[in-house]
Amino acid sequence: MIWDREHETMERGALQALQLQRLQAQVNRVYEQVPFYRQAFLEKGITPADIRTLADLPKIPFTLKRDFRDNYPLGLTAVPTEQIVRLHASSGTTGKPTVVAYTANDIDLWSEVMARTLTAAGVSSNDVVHNAYGYGLFTGGLGFHYGAERVGATVIPMSGGQTKRQIMLLQDLGSTVICCTPSYALYLAEAAEEMGVDLRATKLHIGIFGAEPWTQEMRQEVEAKTGLLALDIYGLSEIIGPGVSVECEHQTGLHIFEDHFLPEIIDPKSGEVLPYGESGELVLTTLTKEALPVLRYRTGDITALHPETCACGRTMVRMEKISGRTDDMLIVRGINIFPSQIETVLLRVEGIQPHYQIIVDRQRILDDLEIWVEVSEEIFTDEIRRLEMLERELHNELHNALGISARVKLVEPRSIQRSEGKAKRVFDRRQVYGETA
Ligand code: DLL
């Protein structure tokens, strides 16, 4: 099913013409309305007239997370306050959140891209959508809510938390679709099992999971534990919230709604634009947003783009599953490691549960990498020798994959904290001492 066939299956030449027309209008508007962009253009020695083709996009300077912080709370908006109908905010790791604004047309656009998203995932007006993304300042809850209403589905505005109640309502209300973070999906499956409920035996059949990184191996775990078709959804507050891209049932990458969000991949070090297929940092430009248009936003998320038409018929480029963030790369004893590499290794080993923590510390001058991971009940209560063998196996697998030795600690089932939203799995204690690697 395709929500907006006209745009989602557009011939790429026509799509590029539309993108250029929208880009030029957007650039003109921000130049006139947002002092930050005018200043940035001046410093670069360009004017909107320099954007003649899409190939001129790299002339435009990047926008960074820092620019949102420097212009806190609403210095980057392009409309008068009376046109703003909604604010959301994403919690930063430190200090002030990033505040984002929407006009009535922006909310309409958001509902539209979320209707596309849900339809791509297989949702229709016949579905009952259990929405366990957090409602509030976080964009997840309301983003899904408006999209599901637009599709005509029945929405259960559950939000996060009250896990047992969620499981009761999932069953009683006959939910067919669940939307939450992949880590909360695992938590729900586990809590259901404890209550004697098998999620696989409910009417649920689709899960739309995102807002945090998760590997293909984690997808397999989630699918096995919930019995759902688990689809990946990507988005970020600065651009709109959820609704930037989503997988269709083929699970071969996330379709970016390119008629509204123009993607590029850059080398995070040099800032150079990379060709299709190469992995780098995703940069997004909004083409139609009114309250908070953003030019060349450096997302920090690492992926690659593929322009081939998908088996579903959509012509919009697909991005690979996010493999990490430029700022979550750990440098341990001089070696670069992404948490996703560790997740991949752990989940390939038999008997390991998808709950883990990565702890990096510094003992005197040496970095120390420790991984805590849960094992199944059966293994935990087995002979100590079996645990030792498993620990050794994991240690070797990690060494092979990362080129560094890590201490592995196998812990009791359910001893690692569960998450109702975005899971925190990496604890870099070196930063506490004011030193980063
Ligand atoms: O997480 C929006 C969202 C809500 C997306 C619900 C999907 C579902 P923020 O809180 O601003 O917005 O966080 C955005 O989360 O830059 C990525 O680093 C990460 N992220 C979001 N989706 C994915 C995903 C929402 N599918 C930041 N895979 C982004 C990996 C993701 N990382």
Side-chain angles (χ1 to χ4, degrees):
M1 281 182 300
I2 298 185
W3 178 257
D4 179 351
R5 189 167 285 280
E6 182 194 338
H7 289 103
E8 292 179 74
T9 63
M10 218 168 180
E11 189 271 314
R12 288 200 66 80
L15 173 65
Q16 281 157 3
L18 179 67
Q19 286 174 324
L20 178 61
Q21 179 206 329
R22 288 179 168 176
L23 175 68
Q24 286 172 327
Q26 183 88 313
V27 165
N28 274 312
R29 216 163 58 79
V30 299
Y31 187 78
E32 294 303 325
Q33 305 297 334
V34 188
F36 163 80
Y37 285 110
R38 179 186 282 265
Q39 182 62 28
F41 274 48
L42 278 174
E43 279 168 20
K44 201 87 193 279
I46 58 163
T47 70
D50 290 306
I51 309 305
R52 286 187 210 96
T53 70
L54 288 178
D56 292 322
L57 188 61
K59 290 182 181 163
I60 300 176
F62 294 119
T63 305
L64 309 175
K65 181 95 181 168
R66 194 179 57 222
D67 297 321
F68 277 82
R69 223 172 289 143
D70 292 348
N71 292 281
Y72 177 83
L74 288 171
L76 295 182
T77 49
V79 295
T81 318
E82 64 265 28
Q83 287 182 29
I84 295 176
V85 300
R86 176 95 66 80
L87 298 179
H88 280 279
S90 75
S91 47
T93 39
T94 48
K96 303 273 192 194
T98 302
V99 179
V100 295
Y102 302 77
T103 63
N105 284 337
D106 291 334
I107 297 287
D108 186 63
L109 161 68
W110 196 12
S111 310
E112 207 44 36
V113 287
M114 280 309 293
R116 288 187 189 180
T117 295
L118 287 153
T119 308
V123 180
S124 75
S125 58
N126 297 324
D127 282 296
V128 179
V129 177
H130 181 102
N131 185 11
Y133 282 110
Y135 280 66
L137 285 175
F138 177 52
T139 53
L142 284 170
F144 270 85
H145 187 100
Y146 276 57
E149 280 194 351
R150 177 134 321 175
V151 165
T154 309
V155 196
I156 320 279
M158 196 67 224
S159 201
Q162 295 187 294
T163 304
K164 284 194 172 145
R165 211 172 134 78
Q166 300 227 7
I167 290 155
M168 178 186 78
L169 287 173
L170 268 174
Q171 295 173 281
D172 296 352
L173 304 179
S175 300
T176 54
V177 178
I178 180 158
C179 310
C180 61
T181 58
S183 51
Y184 193 51
L186 284 175
Y187 183 12
L188 277 168
E190 182 178 80
E193 200 186 317
E194 279 168 16
M195 290 164 68
V197 176
D198 184 357
L199 282 189
R200 287 166 294 197
T202 65
K203 288 191 178 157
L204 278 180
H205 63 107
I206 298 169
I208 311 176
F209 303 130
E212 65 180 7
W214 55 313
T215 57
Q216 294 291 3
E217 287 74 17
M218 185 63 92
R219 188 212 301 271
Q220 281 161 17
E221 287 284 336
V222 172
E223 290 192 332
K225 291 202 154 66
T226 59
L228 300 172
L229 175 71
L231 300 171
D232 193 5
I233 168 165
Y234 170 84
L236 62 166
S237 315
E238 291 84 343
I239 297 301
I240 198 157
V244 173
S245 66
V246 71
E247 282 178 329
C248 64
E249 74 273 18
H250 297 285
Q251 296 178 314
T252 49
L254 294 80
H255 295 275
I256 301 182
F257 299 122
E258 273 185 290
D259 49 339
H260 297 290
F261 314 112
L262 187 58
E264 300 167 89
I265 297 290
I266 61 160
D267 175 332
K269 285 212 183 78
S270 68
E272 289 298 310
V273 177
L274 298 176
Y276 283 138
E278 280 190 34
S279 185
E281 180 178 351
L282 178 67
V283 170
L284 290 167
T285 297
T286 66
L287 295 176
T288 49
K289 283 267 297 299
E290 288 182 346
L292 190 63
V294 187
L295 302 183
R296 303 196 83 207
Y297 183 65
R298 288 186 66 157
T299 64
D301 296 315
I302 300 168
T303 181
L305 301 179
H306 299 279
E308 302 80 22
T309 301
C310 179
C312 70
R314 287 179 182 79
T315 50
M316 310 238 147
V317 293
R318 277 170 286 164
M319 56 183 252
E320 290 175 12
K321 229 168 173 349
I322 301 286
S323 61
R325 286 187 51 79
T326 49
D327 54 10
D328 75 6
M329 187 178 78
L330 295 162
I331 306 177
V332 181
R333 280 171 251 146
I335 298 204
N336 300 348
I337 300 171
F338 282 105
S340 60
Q341 292 176 286
I342 297 180
E343 183 174 295
T344 297
V345 174
L346 295 179
L347 299 188
R348 280 188 185 158
V349 173
E350 187 86 24
I352 292 301
Q353 294 297 303
H355 304 284
Y356 66 93
Q357 279 181 355
I358 301 168
I359 300 146
V360 193
D361 211 336
R362 185 166 293 160
Q363 308 289 345
R364 298 225 176 86
I365 50 163
L366 258 197
D367 293 330
D368 186 49
L369 176 64
E370 187 165 283
I371 295 161
W372 292 28
V373 58
E374 286 183 16
V375 287
S376 62
E377 196 83 54
E378 183 216 331
I379 292 185
F380 199 76
T381 48
D382 204 347
E383 289 173 45
I384 198 89
R385 217 170 55 89
R386 184 141 177 234
L387 276 177
E388 281 170 2
M389 269 167 60
L390 189 56
E391 231 166 51
R392 210 167 316 124
E393 182 186 351
L394 272 178
H395 180 272
N396 292 344
E397 292 293 328
L398 285 164
H399 195 269
N400 284 342
L402 311 174
I404 187 172
S405 81
R407 277 193 289 139
V408 177
K409 195 166 156 189
L410 300 179
V411 299
E412 214 176 321
R414 296 175 180 70
S415 57
I416 286 175
Q417 190 172 5
R418 303 295 186 251
S419 149
E420 289 169 0
K422 300 185 189 234
K424 179 160 173 56
R425 298 198 175 95
V426 179
F427 299 84
D428 192 343
R429 298 198 176 130
R430 295 171 300 184
Q431 287 158 3
V432 175
Y433 315 119
E435 301 171 32
T436 48

